[in-house]
């Protein structure tokens, strides 16, 4: 006897949950530092174009597959194609969800650890970049510290997914997302009102075209993908709980706008502060955990704002991690008929176990390298550079070429009749982008991210 499948309680519930998936470490940790390293405003502009030409079209495609089939990624592809190959593409998404969460939750764990550091006022003990960086190294080198917060974060993720779509994910998103917006706006206002904030604004908003290279463009494309949680069926799975009364193009646009807004707000908050205290903006991945604590120790009210900042980062990570876990859980629930409760617990334990070598790669297993990567980097590389671009490519190809627009469009029109009639040009653009532009561009990102494109460039130069 099939139990009826869960659905979102409201349209806003779906938008907030999906925006929650999109808004994560990618927005607050990664976007500011890659924008910082790649010319600020000029990177931002290219990134916005990438969001529009591949992010939005693929996002619409993913949500549509989910809503039409009301299944997890594997079941969804199988239902539409009857082919094992396409079911395996869905399977790749489930594996990616499993793998990404195993390292994502480690960084999210640091964020919780840093809330405690902030509350204890520890940033004031390490008020210059070198000692702050050393303090960070000591923390991640401490096995109980890194494992404890990793486990704690996984438990938080598990509890929310365990509680179901409406009572778990939707409720958590409805509380946490507005809070995240408020906290980040407070942090942005703090940054903007510091003496010397304008240098930070210049840096983020004044284009430096000389810094734009083919590399930058590919980086922007790859990030557009990651930040919207595309390529592994997360948005597909969330879409599978969506009603046919709601408009997919409108929802997708709202998700994209919220995600972009948060990245820009976080970037503004961070760079105005970093410049105001006279620190370097291009610290790379260490910007958040090494540079920012120093910034807080020097800024008026820094104690208070440091706590708010790491709470925001944790919230953003948590609303993303639940979407990663939900992809895997929905597969076990739909296809293997597991109970949600069992699936959430068992899968979380396995994800934690898979993450242990990654967590230990910051200390005990420091020296172990596979193809030049430690465990953490390897998991990240396989997921972000191989599985996600391939998954995205297959999603675009599937919807545009395999499923076929004659069947796609009537499904997409459900809940969006007005949109289609009012914006015929936009719907034609969507069809063309998804069919030609997205697959080609995603394929280039894929070649680039596995290092092939550089080799090809070298042959020709
Ligand atoms: N989008 C999230 C971020 O910006 C990360 C994320 C969550 C993700 N779920 C995903 C990335 C699914 C790719 C696929 O931090």
């Amino acid at each position: 006897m099939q139990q009826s499948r869960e659905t979102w309680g409201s349209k806003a519930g779906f938008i907030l949950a999906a925006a929650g998936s999109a808004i994560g470490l990618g927005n607050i940790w990664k976007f500011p530092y890659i924008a910082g390293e790649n010319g600020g405003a000029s990177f931002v502009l290219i990134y916005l174009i990438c969001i529009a030409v591949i992010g939005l079209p693929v996002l619409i495609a993913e949500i549509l597959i989910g809503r039409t089939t009301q299944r997890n990624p594997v079941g969804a592809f199988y239902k539409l194609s009857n082919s094992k190959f396409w079911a395996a593409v869905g399977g790749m998404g489930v594996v990616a969800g499993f793998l990404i969460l195993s390292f994502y939750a480690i960084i999210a764990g640091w964020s919780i650890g840093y809330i405690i550091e902030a509350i204890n006022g520890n940033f004031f003990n390490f008020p210059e970049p070198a000692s702050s960086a050393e303090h960070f190294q000591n923390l991640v080198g401490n096995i109980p510290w890194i494992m404890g917060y990793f486990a704690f974060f996984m438990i938080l993720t598990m509890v929310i997914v365990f509680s179901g779509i409406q009572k778990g994910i939707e409720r958590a998103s409805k509380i946490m997302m507005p809070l995240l917006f408020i906290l980040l706006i407070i942090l942005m206002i703090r940054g903007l009102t510091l003496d010397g904030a304008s240098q930070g604004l210049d840096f983020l908003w004044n284009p430096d075209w000389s810094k734009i290279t083919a590399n930058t463009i590919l980086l922007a494309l790859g990030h557009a993908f990651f930040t919207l949680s595309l390529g592994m069926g997360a948005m597909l799975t969330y879409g599978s709980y969506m009603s046919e009364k709601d408009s997919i193009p409108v929802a997708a646009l709202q998700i994209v706008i919220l995600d972009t807004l948060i990245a820009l707000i976080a970037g503004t908050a961070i760079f105005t502060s970093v410049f105001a205290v006279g620190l370097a903006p291009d610290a790379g991945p260490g910007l958040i955990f090494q540079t920012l604590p120093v910034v807080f120790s020097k800024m008026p009210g820094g104690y208070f704002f440091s706590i708010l900042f790491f709470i925001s980062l944790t919230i953003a990570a948590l609303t993303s991690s639940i979407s990663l876990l939900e992809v895997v859980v929905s597969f076990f629930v739909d296809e293997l008929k597991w109970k949600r409760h069992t699936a959430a617990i068992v899968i979380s334990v396995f994800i934690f176990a898979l993450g242990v070598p990654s967590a230990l790669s910051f200390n005990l297993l420091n020296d172990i390298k596979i193809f030049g990567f430690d465990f953490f980097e390897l998991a990240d590389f396989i997921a972000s550079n191989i599985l996600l671009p391939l998954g995205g490519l297959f999603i675009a190809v599937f919807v545009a070429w395999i499923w076929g627009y004659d069947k796609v469009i009537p499904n997409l029109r459900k809940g969006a009749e007005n949109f289609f009639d009012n914006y015929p040009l936009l719907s034609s653009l969507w069809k063309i982008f998804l069919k030609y532009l997205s697959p080609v561009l995603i394929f280039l990102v894929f070649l680039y991210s596995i290092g092939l494109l550089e080799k090809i460039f070298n042959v020709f130069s």
Side-chain angles (χ1 to χ4, degrees):
M1 187 46 224
Q2 186 87 10
Q3 265 189 335
S4 79
R5 209 160 181 279
E6 285 194 83
T7 56
W8 302 108
S10 65
K11 189 162 70 178
F14 166 67
I15 304 282
L16 288 177
S21 169
I23 297 165
L25 296 171
N27 301 60
I28 302 180
W29 166 69
K30 200 165 179 197
F31 174 77
Y33 88 75
I34 54 178
E37 289 177 332
N38 291 282
S42 22
F43 176 86
V44 173
L45 191 69
I46 292 182
Y47 165 77
L48 292 178
I49 297 172
C50 294
I51 291 273
V53 298
I54 62 168
L56 190 58
V58 176
L59 177 58
I60 292 175
E62 263 206 38
I63 299 176
L64 179 67
I65 298 177
R67 188 183 68 174
T68 307
T69 57
Q70 317 251 301
R71 292 272 195 296
N72 67 92
V74 175
F77 276 106
Y78 192 72
K79 187 169 173 181
L80 291 174
S81 67
N82 251 317
S83 124
K84 292 238 168 67
F85 171 81
W86 288 104
V89 168
M92 205 168 75
V94 175
V95 171
F98 204 88
L99 195 59
I100 295 175
L101 189 49
S102 79
F103 65 85
Y104 199 84
I106 296 172
I107 306 193
W110 300 349
S111 178
I112 303 183
Y114 265 63
I115 300 178
I116 308 299
E117 293 295 302
I119 292 175
N120 289 336
N122 272 351
F123 300 151
F124 295 90
N125 300 331
F126 306 98
E128 75 293 325
S131 63
S132 169
E134 196 185 316
H135 182 56
F136 171 76
Q137 293 303 340
N138 288 338
L139 289 175
V140 299
N142 178 338
I143 297 177
W145 189 88
I146 199 170
M147 292 298 220
Y149 286 116
F150 174 29
F152 183 59
F153 184 81
M154 276 310 301
I155 292 171
L156 290 180
T157 305
M158 193 264 296
V159 167
I160 298 174
V161 172
F162 178 97
S163 309
I165 297 303
Q166 285 191 21
K167 291 212 181 89
I169 296 176
E170 182 165 353
R171 192 163 61 175
S173 306
K174 277 184 157 167
I175 298 168
M176 290 195 287
M177 293 309 288
L179 186 61
L180 175 64
F181 276 96
I182 294 168
L183 293 180
L184 283 174
I185 287 172
I186 295 174
L187 287 162
M188 181 177 70
I189 293 172
R190 167 69 288 186
L192 288 172
T193 50
L194 288 168
D195 281 340
S198 61
Q199 284 175 49
L201 284 179
D202 269 359
F203 178 73
L204 193 60
W205 298 103
N206 262 346
D208 176 357
W209 298 107
S210 71
K211 289 225 170 118
I212 297 298
T213 61
N215 257 13
T216 322
I217 299 174
L218 292 168
L219 204 65
L221 267 173
H223 185 65
F225 227 71
F226 185 81
T227 191
L228 291 175
S229 301
L230 297 176
M232 52 148 288
M235 291 300 183
L236 185 160
T237 306
Y238 273 12
S240 75
Y241 305 113
M242 189 186 180
S243 144
E244 299 206 320
K245 291 201 281 304
D246 297 332
S247 161
I248 293 180
V250 172
L253 198 64
Q254 288 169 332
I255 295 164
V256 164
I257 290 173
L258 288 175
D259 184 75
T260 307
L261 213 57
I262 289 290
L264 296 176
I265 291 176
T268 305
I270 289 171
F271 285 118
T272 48
S273 311
V274 167
F275 274 90
V277 302
L279 287 175
D282 52 2
L287 187 66
I288 296 277
F289 294 105
Q290 299 174 20
T291 310
L292 273 193
V294 180
V295 171
F296 289 124
S297 75
K298 295 187 189 309
M299 110 194 334
Y303 174 77
F304 173 68
F305 292 109
S306 66
I307 299 172
L308 293 192
F309 179 81
F310 286 103
I311 292 178
S312 311
L313 187 65
T314 305
I315 292 178
L318 188 56
T319 53
S320 297
S321 65
I322 54 183
S323 78
L324 289 162
L325 182 57
E326 178 60 28
V327 171
V328 188
V329 166
S330 71
F331 168 73
F332 279 79
V333 171
D334 289 348
E335 303 302 316
L336 307 178
K337 309 291 173 218
W338 284 27
K339 293 223 164 52
R340 168 174 287 277
H341 289 181
T342 321
I345 296 173
V346 173
I347 293 163
S348 299
V349 170
F350 274 93
I351 290 176
F352 179 78
L354 180 67
V356 167
S358 292
L360 294 180
S361 70
F362 292 93
N363 35 67
L364 201 59
L365 307 179
N366 221 332
D367 296 330
I368 299 190
K369 297 274 192 273
I370 306 157
F371 307 119
F373 296 118
D374 64 29
F375 279 109
F376 183 94
E377 292 162 344
L378 186 69
D380 182 17
F381 181 82
I382 295 175
S384 313
N385 297 26
I386 299 178
L387 297 179
L388 292 186
L390 274 187
L393 179 64
F394 281 127
I395 287 166
V397 167
F398 182 80
V399 171
W401 295 90
I402 309 287
W403 190 6
Y405 283 148
D406 53 331
K407 295 191 208 82
V408 166
I409 296 301
N411 282 304
L412 191 54
R413 278 185 71 94
K414 288 180 191 159
E417 292 83 1
N418 290 341
F419 185 89
F420 268 81
D421 298 338
N422 294 342
Y423 305 101
L425 180 65
L426 286 185
S427 4
S428 313
L429 278 182
W430 177 75
K431 288 200 272 191
I432 295 169
F433 281 7
L434 196 69
K435 199 158 186 171
Y436 304 103
L437 207 56
S438 309
V440 173
L441 289 177
I442 299 170
F443 191 63
L444 286 180
V445 174
F446 173 65
L447 290 182
Y448 166 75
S449 62
I450 59 172
L452 263 182
L453 210 54
E454 254 165 303
K455 294 208 181 84
I456 298 173
F457 278 148
N458 288 341
V459 170
F460 286 101
S461 62

